[in-house]
Amino acid sequence: MSSTTQFFTQLAHRLHPGLFRCGIVAAGDTLWQQQCVTAALTALAPSQVFQLGGQQTHGAPNQHVTFKQGQQLLGQECELLICDMSSGFDANSFSAALGALKGGGVLIVLPESNGEQDDGARWLELGLRRLTWLIQGQAQPALPEFPSTHEGEARYAQQQDAIGSIIKVVEGHRKRPLVLTADRGRGKSSALGLAAAQLMQARPRHIVVTAPRLANVSPVFDHAARQLPDAQKSKTALTYQGATLTFVAPDELLRQPIECDLLLVDEASAIPIPMLKRMVQQYHRLVFSTTIHGYEGCGRGFTLKFQHWLRTERPGARFIQLDQPIRWGQDDPLELWLYQTFLLDCELTPLQTPITLLPPLIELSKAHLLATPGLVRQCFALLVNAHYQTSPNDLFHLLSDSATRLFALLDGDICLGCLLVVEEGGLDEELIGHIQRGTRRPKGHLTPVTLANQLGCAEAATERSVRIMRIAVHPDGQRQGWGAAMLRQLDALLDISYLSTSFGATSDLIQFWQSNDFVPLKLGSQRDQASGCHSLLMVKGQSEWIIKARPRFEHNLVYQLSDSLNDIEPDNVRSLLPLSHRSVMSQGLSPLIEFYLEGGSSFDSIAPMIRDCILTATPARLANVSDLMVRKIVQQWSWQACAIEFSMAGRKQVEAQLRHDLRQFTV
């Protein structure tokens, strides 16, 4: 028996099914790595083998996905996971795939040994060094140690309580939503599926599940289907004896209310808070579920802002956090390693004393970050807190990409705020011509490419600029002007023509960037799949092309609000209406408008005049523009659509409310 086979045989005796997982790094040439995998297959005899990356040559795995497709393994389970890095590495994909490895399973990493290492690869190697290494030509390593445990059926107690609480949402009083939060592997999705199955077995109930992507809820359907073997299953629905479990996208849920006995909102932290609030207002039996750590990331906006709002609006709401792992044992060494290496367990350090004087903004070099992992954790704790989309890939992109830079406010070893930015622009005229004709789209350079292609601003692509990808301020320092101070200091530190930023538009964010002299130049016509919001591009600078581009954006916006953007939130409309064209509305109103307010004339005869009044209103007067006025007059919704949106009986009631709102606006 070879030393490698002996190692895996001894490891197999030490592993306890359903409990702890371990990670092995097999470092050597390709043939020797294949021999290691073969030895593991023989000794461990796994029933399910998944492979991430590389060529499908390692013992014919049950599933093989490319190194960027680890998310496809979500909701599935294996006893052996092979991660072949020969074709590349993606941190998000790897983190997702590792969630499929169940307790008692083994991860085998086949590292890439050739080529020069950038700082991202060095960070990864430092992490891998904390696993057990099998090295070609060297002696067999010591077997990994595992914690002692006395877990039994108690590991399922939290999940059973969660299932009972989900059922109570349906069978108990209305307007008492439930919020489930959990780390990955805690049985959150299976609890949703098992509860749905029990409810469907009891009577013909109609349950709707929503999430940012259909793939997020495939485990919910899988667990429900296992409990209902006779159910009919399609890609988006499960039907059992008149009961249904159906997936509906978040925007579709809100566009037209759907009759259901229960709404399950999975990965809720990845859905914009305004959309979550509207769900609470439109649906009265809800369960919100979300991962609080993991490759998805989780904006503390969900835990700090939405849950606080929910407690106020729905005093009967319940909140449950699942801590006990189900797929593996408590204190699983591989889970702890994953969290530490990919910064999935970053926690904010509270500020002990008030900050009276902000420190200067400084740039943190990649070498400094690599040498001080504690500082990296501090910065990423803020980024994860502020942006749910912040993920392990952001860490590796920062360390590997020379154009990406990190600036921070440091008070000793505590990060008060940070900015993640990327250098863009400086493109040559020939490339810009190809961009404008749609024949080339160079990697990166989001702002210059968008402005050159969509607005015809070639100058925006020739000039050097910096795009702000993330801005984060410590929660204890928010609403104190720290973010604005960082932006001013950043502007002073950089020798560039303009700053830019692109984000999922909400009224709060729009107003923040406007207050810091950024102007909007491009609003996406489609909602971003991740955020559920329309992406807004804003810039700050003194270039002549910015002055020319701004009225072009405003002119397009007015048209789009009644066309491709007629579903954008009224708060966003009020924030984006053409600032440069606003003037104080004339004191006197057209007699036709006066007649309409008294019940005379017709809406069609005065609608264009009211629309002009809104478009030329001052910011103070815009605050009196109601959501109904935005929908009907600016976005030109039908009477029926307005009645549905505002829960009214029909045109007569809608028009009566519209007259009331117009009186408030014109006083």
Side-chain angles (χ1 to χ4, degrees):
M1 178 183 294
S2 71
S3 61
T4 304
T5 303
Q6 182 183 30
F7 172 83
F8 281 109
T9 300
Q10 294 173 345
L11 180 62
H13 289 304
R14 179 166 292 197
L15 288 169
H16 189 291
L19 287 180
F20 302 117
R21 308 171 298 169
C22 70
I24 307 296
V25 180
D29 61 38
T30 303
L31 178 59
W32 184 84
Q33 288 179 333
Q34 176 63 56
Q35 292 171 350
C36 286
V37 172
T38 301
L41 290 168
T42 302
L44 302 173
S47 60
Q48 288 288 314
V49 180
F50 295 166
Q51 182 179 331
L52 179 70
Q55 298 296 316
Q56 188 172 335
T57 57
H58 303 294
N62 302 90
Q63 281 208 60
H64 171 251
V65 296
T66 70
F67 74 94
K68 288 188 175 181
Q69 296 178 324
Q71 287 84 351
Q72 293 186 14
L73 303 178
L74 287 173
Q76 304 177 67
E77 293 183 341
C78 65
E79 290 86 21
L80 179 62
L81 174 64
I82 304 162
C83 177
D84 188 333
M85 297 182 178
S86 61
S87 54
F89 177 78
D90 183 275
N92 287 11
S93 173
F94 175 81
S95 300
L98 196 56
L101 184 66
K102 65 182 184 180
V106 176
L107 163 72
I108 296 182
V109 178
L110 308 179
E112 175 61 38
S113 56
N114 299 324
E116 294 185 5
Q117 286 189 326
D118 57 33
D119 288 320
R122 292 188 185 95
W123 179 282
L124 177 61
E125 183 178 3
L126 289 173
L128 291 175
R129 286 292 171 189
R130 296 196 295 272
L131 298 177
T132 300
W133 280 61
L134 285 171
I135 303 176
Q136 185 176 6
Q138 294 189 16
Q140 174 183 317
L143 290 168
E145 298 291 335
F146 299 106
S148 59
T149 182
H150 301 285
E151 296 178 12
E153 291 302 315
R155 69 193 300 186
Y156 296 98
Q158 282 190 341
Q159 188 190 52
Q160 290 301 316
D161 289 343
I163 292 171
S165 296
I166 294 169
I167 293 173
K168 188 174 181 180
V169 171
V170 177
E171 297 179 344
H173 293 287
R174 299 164 72 245
K175 297 186 177 183
R176 294 187 178 180
L178 172 68
V179 178
L180 290 178
T181 54
D183 288 353
R184 181 155 296 286
R186 269 63 183 173
K188 170 181 60 66
S189 294
S190 58
L192 296 179
L194 294 171
Q198 289 187 32
L199 288 166
M200 293 167 70
Q201 286 173 323
R203 65 181 66 173
R205 291 185 169 102
H206 300 291
I207 302 171
V208 171
V209 59
T210 191
R213 294 177 294 275
L214 175 60
N216 293 136
V217 295
S218 59
V220 177
F221 282 95
D222 291 341
H223 284 285
R226 292 192 190 105
Q227 300 299 308
L228 305 171
D230 298 329
Q232 296 180 331
K233 186 178 180 182
S234 67
K235 187 176 180 180
T236 60
L238 192 71
T239 304
Y240 175 80
Q241 297 182 359
T244 59
L245 174 65
T246 308
F247 173 80
V248 180
D251 56 344
E252 187 179 344
L253 269 178
L254 298 174
R255 188 176 300 116
Q256 184 167 346
I258 296 172
E259 291 293 330
C260 64
D261 297 293
L262 175 65
L263 173 59
L264 304 174
V265 186
D266 204 6
E267 296 308 342
S269 68
I271 297 174
I273 290 176
M275 296 182 74
L276 297 178
K277 290 180 178 179
R278 290 177 60 194
M279 290 178 190
V280 173
Q281 291 161 352
Q282 293 186 20
Y283 297 91
H284 298 151
R285 297 188 187 274
L286 299 99
V287 175
F288 294 99
S289 171
T290 197
T291 306
I292 55 174
H293 287 129
Y295 80 97
E296 301 95 341
C298 172
R300 293 299 192 273
F302 178 82
T303 53
L304 295 180
K305 297 178 183 177
F306 175 68
Q307 291 194 33
H308 174 76
W309 176 88
L310 191 62
R311 285 184 170 93
T312 302
E313 295 295 317
R314 296 289 186 266
R318 293 192 63 200
F319 301 84
I320 297 176
Q321 180 164 329
L322 305 180
D323 301 307
Q324 175 65 51
I326 288 180
R327 246 179 283 170
W328 46 77
Q330 189 79 34
D331 299 323
D332 174 62
L334 201 55
E335 181 179 59
L336 297 176
W337 171 83
L338 178 74
Y339 282 4
Q340 293 168 1
T341 303
F342 297 97
L343 306 184
L344 300 179
D345 59 348
C346 291
E347 295 295 341
L348 290 168
T349 301
L351 302 184
Q352 299 301 319
T353 57
I355 303 297
T356 55
L357 180 64
L358 278 182
L361 187 73
I362 61 172
E363 182 171 5
L364 303 177
S365 70
K366 300 183 192 306
H368 183 54
L369 291 171
L370 197 65
T372 53
L375 179 58
V376 181
R377 297 178 72 83
Q378 283 279 321
C379 293
F380 266 75
L382 283 188
L383 292 171
V384 171
N385 176 78
H387 301 270
Y388 76 86
Q389 291 187 71
T390 301
S391 69
N393 271 358
D394 288 307
L395 169 64
F396 286 87
H397 186 74
L398 166 63
L399 293 172
S400 303
D401 181 20
S402 60
T404 303
R405 303 163 68 180
L406 182 65
F407 295 82
L409 299 174
L410 299 180
D411 181 31
D413 58 355
I414 296 179
C415 184
L416 304 179
C418 60
L419 289 156
L420 189 63
V421 308
V422 60
E423 298 172 346
E424 295 185 332
L427 307 181
D428 61 64
E429 293 183 2
E430 181 180 359
L431 176 56
I432 294 170
H434 285 295
I435 292 170
Q436 292 183 317
R437 292 175 179 82
T439 57
R440 291 277 304 277
R441 188 175 181 89
K443 185 178 180 180
H445 301 280
L446 183 149
T447 296
V449 167
T450 300
L451 295 177
N453 182 264
Q454 300 294 320
L455 273 71
C457 296
E459 301 94 326
T462 59
E463 294 179 352
R464 295 194 176 277
S465 64
V466 159
R467 175 166 54 89
I468 301 166
M469 297 189 292
R470 301 280 193 272
I471 179 171
V473 171
H474 196 290
D476 294 341
Q478 291 176 2
R479 306 293 181 183
Q480 297 183 41
W482 292 9
M486 283 199 298
L487 291 175
R488 288 194 299 270
Q489 292 190 54
L490 178 70
D491 203 2
L493 287 171
L494 299 173
D495 183 19
I496 54 171
S497 296
Y498 66 95
L499 287 167
S500 72
T501 185
S502 178
F503 55 91
T506 64
S507 59
D508 287 346
L509 287 176
I510 295 169
Q511 290 165 21
F512 168 77
W513 291 104
Q514 285 176 338
S515 68
N516 286 284
D517 301 323
F518 283 74
V519 296
L521 290 187
K522 174 64 180 173
L523 183 62
S525 58
Q526 301 293 324
R527 290 185 182 273
D528 179 73
Q529 186 177 14
S531 70
C533 300
H534 294 267
S535 293
L536 179 63
L537 177 64
M538 301 183 74
V539 303
K540 176 184 179 181
Q542 302 299 320
S543 299
E544 184 68 24
W545 63 264
I546 296 178
I547 299 172
K548 294 179 180 178
R550 188 176 178 186
R552 196 179 311 162
F553 162 77
E554 294 170 348
H555 183 73
N556 290 340
L557 176 67
V558 172
Y559 171 79
Q560 289 178 290
L561 286 175
S562 59
D563 187 59
S564 59
L565 294 174
N566 77 335
D567 67 335
I568 194 171
E569 292 78 6
D571 280 349
N572 287 346
V573 175
R574 284 187 286 267
S575 297
L576 286 170
L577 282 178
L579 290 170
S580 60
H581 290 174
R582 288 181 182 162
S583 60
V584 178
M585 189 175 66
S586 60
Q587 295 298 316
L589 292 175
S590 164
L592 281 178
I593 296 177
E594 297 282 5
F595 294 155
Y596 178 74
L597 295 180
E598 297 301 324
S601 69
S602 69
F603 174 79
D604 292 336
S605 66
I606 59 94
M609 289 181 280
I610 292 293
R611 182 169 175 267
D612 289 343
C613 289
I614 294 173
L615 295 179
T616 58
T618 61
R621 191 173 289 276
L622 271 175
N624 292 328
V625 175
S626 69
D627 288 0
L628 177 57
M629 290 171 63
V630 171
R631 291 303 199 199
K632 182 59 189 167
I633 299 171
V634 179
Q635 297 178 299
Q636 299 183 35
W637 281 25
S638 68
W639 294 108
Q640 181 182 9
C642 288
I644 294 172
E645 170 88 353
F646 298 101
S647 303
M648 297 182 184
R651 172 170 178 167
K652 184 175 181 180
Q653 187 179 1
V654 173
E655 194 160 13
Q657 183 63 46
L658 184 63
R659 284 190 171 97
H660 173 271
D661 294 350
L662 285 171
R663 288 190 191 96
Q664 302 302 310
F665 172 63
T666 56
V667 292

